[in-house]
RNA sequence: GGAGGUAUAGUCUAGUGGUAGGAUGACAGAUUGACAUUCUGUAGGCAGGAGUUCAAUUCUCCUUACCUCCACCA
């Protein structure tokens, strides 16, 4: 088939995509006898915000998938979408300028469900266009009933093995919007405030910005290193106005330099209060209610700010105030309305795992980490864990707990596994409360933490509880791919769940990608306005060229996006295209044969070296080093070897035809994981008909063809001679350039050092033909090519 | 504040205990029997300081800057 004179990615990539889909090239066959290679990829959060950073890390896994497929594995490569979480909620709230609270739970959920597919399509289309070789029939979504079922099943199993419990815990709460909020909805804000120095008993002075919380004071803290206050530890101090006594405890979270170095802990004024409450098992005194009003009798239902004014006045009147200062400090406010966040106490579900820290570290070590140092982050995270995993979220759009509570005694009732997935707002439990016999129930209103579900991706992919054949085939998965900032969440929680459910590590290998940065090396953030969208570049240069950029740094390193890098990619693609055209035009007819030419041995030897190197690097997930090796051979092949054998090509020498096709086919194969479209097009045009002649199977697609194997060995001695020949030819080329001669002009005579006569004496014709040299002789060379190689040249 | 990472030509990136490789841009030249989205060549670089060593860009420590995660001032 004659090739088009120009390669147009816009036309070809669309055509190839359709071909892949029609022929189901990437279909996973559950019944295949081949060894399975299963990949656990991150389901991107559907937030409407796709940028080149995503493309960067996702395609890195893609290279591996394609490599493993060519190595003969049955590759299980599913894709997922994480669309059940808060980002999706916020996306829809923003689009319709509404909130879940305004619309009401059921209406809101319906709206999200109806809208989210629009965004799903954006993601899927982009990944398809990028050439992601997933089996799209394996696509999962975290809002789907199947995934909810897996997630609820996991919860029930954890409950069965006594790994869940319910406990009162603080929830973030916005007193203005009267809603619970999540951590990602917070932002820092500098606020002007007053800090009041209060006189407690025993000569203790405490500085506080929240005097209204005084009735909720449950303890007093000092730093253990603080010499000034060492004597206080263990004493009981009396709280002003309210007169109750609280203990003094030493804790390193206290900054001895701030205020007076003595802190009161009120449940709950801020994050530290919560930590202390948990760490020291302190009494709980909640004095702010869900409407943002004080419910302590002292305040008689005042709002927070009014309460502050009242108590300050009261404290002043009674002489407890020593001084007040104006300060500016950072506080957490609700992103949407700027109101200072308060804490509420709600009963929430936890997964008990604090007793297993050592086990988790050990499991982390059983996984192979690429790059290895990334494991340290997991270790640090696990070792620093201070409490169990809270999996309740006071939001709307997510996986429901399969739980109801008895209306009269609050006893939890769990759903039956065979009824999953359940919606506790719609479905009801069967029978009566096992504790009190009541028949009335209320649903759990919280939803599960998004990590409680996404930590189950191996189980979701394994169709756990639906078609366990999958789980048997793919678990533990061969590879997890993810970015580094979520090691402590996604990677860790997946290890936790796999341990509880399967007593196993979830995957054998984990590959951690870096971030794609903007052109100035800054991370892409919406708020910075430096988010680079892929679409324009995809349109302009095609997916192959864009993938060239994503493969241009080592695994785990960040890489800044440079359009020029994409241009470099498209030049390589263009060169590859034209090289193939040249070979096809001149050497379409070749026969397998042994070549007597030194240059042929040289390029075959180099090919073998490259295959070996690329294979090794790919096996350790170092796609970039593999690419580098292949790229180097590619340029040697086209700029050096091909130029030196051109006269043989024009002379229709069939032995050069065979070598050209043999090397080029392997080059195409080795480049195909990186630039899958153009290599497929070349394969379909040229190599599919010659595949068998070149020692490969004739497969439908290059991507299901075999990874190259090393060719017949070239003796070291023969390669050494060939390598010297190449160096001499390169030297002559440079000499021509320095003497302002055309590269195809004639050289009268070259004299090669006599000591090389043994090695090169039989290759006179090759030397002549390689650089258009009229006469070659051996004798004394006056120019040094390199140590041991000397020549003289007559122009 | 804690943990981890990074620092290499104008720019983007490899790599090494002993002459630092590639891309891109710059400059010079060649070419029209595949390719001007070509080819050949030239110039240009290891953040700063201390230490270990015969030898440090590489190993150790410190400083500075940036990135990620965690914590965050009562």
């Amino acid at each position: 088939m004659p090739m088009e004179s120009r390669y147009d990615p816009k036309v070809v990539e669309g055509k190839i995509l359709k071909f892949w889909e029609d022929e189901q090239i990437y279909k996973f066959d559950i019944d295949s006898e081949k060894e399975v290679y299963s990949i656990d990829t991150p389901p991107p959060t559907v937030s409407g915000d796709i940028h080149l950073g995503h493309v960067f890390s996702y395609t890195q896994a893609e290279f591996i998938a394609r490599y493993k497929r060519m190595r003969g594995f049955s590759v299980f490569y599913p894709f997922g979408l994480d669309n059940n979480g808060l980002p999706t909620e916020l996306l829809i709230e923003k689009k319709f300028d509404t909130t879940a609270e305004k619309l009401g739970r059921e209406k809101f959920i319906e709206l999200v469900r109806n809208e989210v597919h629009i965004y799903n399509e954006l993601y899927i289309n982009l990944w398809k266009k990028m050439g992601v070789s997933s089996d799209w029939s394996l696509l999962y979504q975290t809002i789907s009933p199947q995934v909810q079922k897996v997630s609820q099943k996991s919860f029930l199993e954890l409950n069965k093995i006594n790994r869940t419990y319910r406990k009162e815990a603080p929830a973030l709460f916005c007193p203005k919007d009267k809603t619970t909020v999540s951590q990602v909805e917070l932002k820092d804000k500098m606020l002007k405030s007053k800090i009041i120095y209060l006189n407690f008993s025993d000569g203790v002075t405490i500085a506080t910005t929240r005097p209204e919380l005084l009735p909720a004071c449950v303890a007093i803290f000092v730093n253990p290193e603080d010499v000034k206050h060492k004597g206080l530890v263990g004493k009981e101090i009396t709280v002003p106005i309210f007169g109750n006594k609280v203990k003094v405890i030493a804790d390193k979270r206290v900054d001895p330099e701030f205020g007076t170095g003595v802190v009161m802990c009120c449940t709950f004024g801020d994050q530290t209060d919560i930590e202390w409450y948990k760490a020291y098992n302190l009494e709980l005194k909640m004095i702010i209610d869900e409407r943002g009003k004080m419910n302590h009798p002292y305040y008689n239902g005042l709002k927070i700010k009014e309460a502050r004014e009242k108590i300050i006045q009261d404290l002043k009147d009674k002489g407890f105030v020593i001084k007040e200062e104006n300060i500016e400090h950072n506080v957490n406010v609700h992103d949407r309305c700027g109101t200072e966040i308060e804490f509420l106490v709600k009963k929430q579900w936890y997964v008990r795992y604090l007793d297993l820290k050592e086990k988790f570290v050990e499991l982390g070590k059983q996984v192979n980490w690429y790059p290895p140092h990334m494991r340290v982050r997991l270790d640090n995270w696990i070792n620093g864990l201070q409490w169990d995993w809270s999996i309740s979220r006071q939001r709307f759009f997510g996986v429901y707990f399969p739980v109801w509570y008895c209306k009269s005694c609050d006893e939890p009732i769990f759903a039956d596994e065979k009824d999953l997935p359940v919606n506790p707002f719609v479905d009801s439990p069967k029978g009566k409360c096992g504790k009190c016999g009541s028949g009335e129930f209320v649903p759990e209103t919280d939803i599960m933490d998004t990590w409680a579900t996404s930590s189950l991706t191996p189980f979701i992919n394994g169709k756990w509880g639906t078609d366990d054949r999958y789980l048997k085939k793919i678990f533990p998965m061969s590879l997890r791919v993810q970015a580094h900032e979520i090691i402590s969440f996604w990677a860790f929680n997946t290890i936790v769940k796999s341990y509880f459910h399967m007593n196993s590590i979830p995957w054998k290998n984990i590959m951690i990608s870096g971030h794609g940065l903007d052109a100035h090396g800054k991370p892409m953030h919406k708020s910075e306005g430096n988010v680079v969208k892929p679409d324009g570049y995809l349109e302009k240069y095609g997916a192959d060229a864009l993938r060239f950029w994503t493969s241009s740094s080592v695994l785990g390193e960040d890489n800044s996006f440079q359009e020029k890098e994409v241009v470099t990619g498209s030049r390589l693609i263009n060169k590859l295209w034209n090289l193939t055209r040249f070979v096809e035009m001149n050497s379409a007819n070749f026969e397998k044969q042994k070549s007597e030419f030194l240059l042929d041995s040289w390029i075959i030897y180099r090919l073998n070296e490259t295959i070996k190197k690329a294979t090794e690097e790919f096996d350790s997930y170092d796609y970039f080093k593999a690419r580098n090796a292949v790229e180097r051979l590619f340029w040697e092949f086209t700029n050096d070897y091909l130029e030196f054998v051109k006269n043989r090509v024009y002379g229709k020498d069939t032995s050069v035809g065979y070598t050209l096709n043999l090397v080029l086919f392997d080059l195409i194969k080795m480049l195909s994981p990186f630039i899958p479209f153009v290599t497929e097009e070349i394969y379909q045009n040229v190599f599919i008909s010659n595949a068998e002649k070149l020692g490969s199977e004739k497969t439908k697609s290059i991507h299901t063809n075999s990874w190259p194997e090393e060719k017949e060995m070239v003796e070291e001695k023969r390669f050494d001679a060939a390598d010297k020949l190449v160096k001499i030819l390169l030297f002559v080329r440079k000499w021509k350039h320095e003497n302002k001669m055309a590269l195809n002009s004639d050289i009268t005579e070259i004299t090669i050092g006599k000591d090389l006569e043994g090695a090169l004496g039989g290759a006179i014709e090759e030397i002549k033909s390689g650089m258009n040299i009229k006469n070659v002789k051996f004798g004394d060379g006056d120019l040094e090519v390199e140590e041991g190689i000397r020549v003289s040249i007559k122009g």
Side-chain angles (χ1 to χ4, degrees), chain A residues 557-674:
Chain A
E557 292 297 317
D558 297 343
N559 193 357
S560 88
F561 176 72
Q562 305 288 325
E563 186 166 354
K564 63 191 183 186
E565 193 80 24
V566 184
V567 174
T568 306
S570 54
R571 285 188 188 154
L572 177 116
I573 290 159
N574 175 65
K575 190 76 181 172
L576 181 64
W577 183 257
N578 285 300
L579 169 67
T580 314
R581 281 179 64 214
F582 179 80
V583 170
E584 206 235 354
M585 280 174 179
N586 293 291
S587 310
N589 295 313
F590 62 88
E591 288 307 324
K592 181 170 180 178
Q593 58 187 280
K594 200 166 167 61
S595 165
E596 295 303 322
F597 290 91
L598 274 181
L599 286 169
D600 294 353
S601 301
W602 180 77
I603 198 70
I604 296 291
Y605 187 92
R606 286 285 302 120
L607 175 65
N608 283 346
E609 281 186 328
T610 306
I611 293 170
K612 187 162 181 263
K613 175 81 173 162
T615 306
E616 280 170 10
E617 297 297 355
F618 255 128
D619 280 338
S620 50
Y621 300 92
D622 217 327
Y623 53 83
F624 176 67
K625 285 182 192 161
R627 193 198 89 176
N628 269 350
V630 177
E631 225 187 319
R632 185 180 155 199
L633 178 69
F634 172 74
W635 293 112
E636 282 177 357
F637 180 66
T638 164
N639 289 344
D640 302 337
Y641 173 78
L642 187 60
E643 293 303 325
F644 297 154
V645 299
K646 251 187 179 166
N647 287 322
R648 286 168 62 203
V649 175
Y650 297 144
K652 302 289 172 199
D653 173 349
T654 52
S655 67
V656 79
Y658 176 64
T659 311
L660 283 173
N661 278 278
L662 189 72
V663 177
L664 182 56
F665 188 27
D666 278 357
L667 274 170
I668 304 263
K669 283 181 172 183
M670 289 191 284
L671 287 170
S672 72
F674 303 105

Side-chain angles (χ1 to χ4, degrees), chain A residues 137-384:
Chain A
S137 70
L138 299 171
L139 180 85
Y140 65 89
Q141 299 182 46
T142 52
I143 58 163
S144 74
Q146 293 87 334
V147 170
Q148 302 220 10
K149 179 177 166 178
V150 170
S151 191
Q152 291 184 338
K153 177 178 160 76
S154 166
F155 176 79
L156 292 179
E157 300 269 327
L158 290 176
N159 187 56
K160 248 184 241 168
I161 59 174
N162 195 25
R163 281 289 169 185
T164 60
Y165 65 92
R166 206 167 160 232
K167 191 187 155 187
E168 296 207 307
L172 296 168
F173 175 77
C174 171
K176 179 159 179 283
D177 290 353
K178 302 186 185 14
T179 173
T180 46
V181 293
S182 70
Q183 214 140 23
V184 298
E185 293 174 278
L186 301 183
K187 65 177 180 195
D188 285 350
K189 192 172 169 186
M190 283 301 276
L191 280 186
K192 283 189 177 142
S193 179
K194 277 187 178 157
I195 184 163
I196 315 283
Y197 287 73
L198 294 178
N199 196 4
F200 281 51
S201 69
D202 299 72
V204 175
T205 307
I206 293 178
T208 178
T209 55
R210 304 287 310 264
E212 74 277 11
L213 293 177
L214 208 54
C217 177
V218 290
I220 284 170
F221 283 88
V222 296
N223 192 296
E225 311 286 317
D226 185 355
V227 193
K228 228 170 22 180
H229 298 109
K230 217 165 191 161
L232 287 177
V233 179
K235 277 198 177 160
E236 296 221 320
I237 304 287
T238 308
V239 177
I241 298 183
F242 302 96
N244 56 311
K245 293 193 169 217
V246 293
K247 241 191 178 156
V248 180
I249 304 172
D251 189 285
K252 62 179 186 332
R253 275 166 281 213
V254 179
D255 176 1
E257 302 303 319
F258 191 93
T260 60
V262 188
V263 190
M264 66 176 189
C265 170
C266 308
T267 51
F268 301 104
D270 64 17
Q271 289 285 347
T272 320
D273 289 345
I274 294 167
E275 289 176 30
W276 282 330
Y277 160 75
K278 290 182 183 175
Y280 298 99
N281 226 350
L282 300 172
E283 189 188 347
L284 182 65
K285 288 191 178 175
M286 287 309 294
I287 58 168
I288 301 173
D289 72 10
E290 299 194 16
R291 293 162 298 150
K293 292 187 175 170
M294 311 301 291
N295 62 10
H296 190 272
Y298 172 83
Y299 294 113
N300 201 12
L302 290 179
K303 286 184 184 168
I304 296 168
K305 283 202 174 134
E306 298 164 348
R308 190 174 302 166
E309 282 165 26
K310 172 182 157 82
I311 197 164
I312 289 174
Q313 196 53 52
D314 200 5
L315 286 163
K316 278 182 180 165
D317 291 347
K318 292 186 173 143
F320 288 110
V321 177
I322 292 169
K323 61 171 175 176
E324 47 184 315
E325 286 172 355
N326 290 316
I327 59 161
E328 280 198 7
H329 64 160
N330 245 331
V331 292
N332 280 328
V333 297
H334 190 195
D335 194 21
R336 207 180 284 160
C337 67
T339 309
E340 285 177 70
I341 285 300
E342 296 294 341
F343 296 94
L344 268 187
V345 169
K346 289 200 64 170
K347 268 196 174 174
Q348 308 193 37
W349 285 100
Y350 282 82
V351 174
R352 184 190 351 265
Y353 65 18
L354 219 47
D355 54 318
L356 294 170
K357 280 158 82 164
E358 281 174 27
K359 182 71 194 174
F360 293 145
V361 169
E362 184 203 315
L363 288 167
K365 284 181 184 162
Q366 287 175 27
V367 177
N368 301 313
W369 290 73
Y370 301 94
H373 70 254
M374 291 291 181
R375 209 199 77 229
V376 180
R377 299 199 191 193
L378 180 77
D379 288 357
N380 286 336
W381 174 257
I382 296 172
N383 291 328

